Amino acid sequence: QVQLLESGGGLVQAGGSLRLSCAASGMFFRINDMGWYRQAPGNERELVASITSGGSTNSADSVKGRFTISRDNAKNTVYLQMNSLKPEDTAVYYCNADVRLYSYSTARNYWGQGTQVTVSS
């Protein structure tokens, strides 16, 4: 069983910063891509940023230049550094990972429980 545990959410004023962390635990062979998604009330869940096991990254245009995704493969952890936060960044942020349970298996997709980020104006 693979679990993704997020931390680091909270309330911050516009222009402030937060750092989200997501640690994967359980028995597995390898983690492939990891990423962060967000969902605001009334909106669909959207990709914020993703990172491959080799460190290649991708991010939404709305966060480019403000958010940085990184990972520590030794700790099975992905981070999202969020700077210059705006009220429109307010959402529940979810961690996502493609995990291979065994060396011979294909990757399965897992989600964290979500962490609330609220940016006040």
Side-chain angles (χ1 to χ4, degrees):
Q1 184 76 6
V2 175
Q3 290 187 322
L4 302 178
L5 182 61
E6 299 124 333
S7 61
L11 173 64
V12 65
Q13 288 187 333
S17 298
L18 283 174
R19 188 191 195 210
L20 305 183
S21 299
C22 171
S25 63
M27 297 294 291
F28 50 86
F29 171 68
R30 181 176 296 165
I31 302 175
N32 291 346
D33 294 358
M34 301 185 82
W36 289 95
Y37 288 72
R38 67 186 180 186
Q39 187 168 19
N43 290 356
E44 293 186 353
R45 193 172 295 188
E46 63 176 2
L47 174 69
V48 177
S50 63
I51 184 167
T52 68
S53 57
S56 296
T57 62
N58 179 47
S59 60
D61 289 342
S62 59
V63 306
K64 277 185 168 66
R66 301 187 298 121
F67 292 9
T68 302
I69 189 170
S70 61
R71 66 190 283 175
D72 184 333
N73 290 332
K75 295 181 179 180
N76 297 316
T77 300
V78 63
Y79 307 96
L80 185 68
Q81 178 66 43
M82 304 185 293
N83 299 328
S84 302
L85 281 159
K86 304 175 181 180
E88 50 263 44
D89 294 318
T90 295
V92 177
Y93 284 69
Y94 296 91
C95 177
N96 180 269
D98 288 331
V99 182
R100 291 173 61 189
L101 298 182
Y102 308 100
S103 60
Y104 52 81
S105 63
T106 57
R108 294 178 61 180
N109 192 252
Y110 293 86
W111 290 94
Q113 82 286 354
T115 185
Q116 177 71 44
V117 171
T118 302
V119 184
S120 63
S121 58

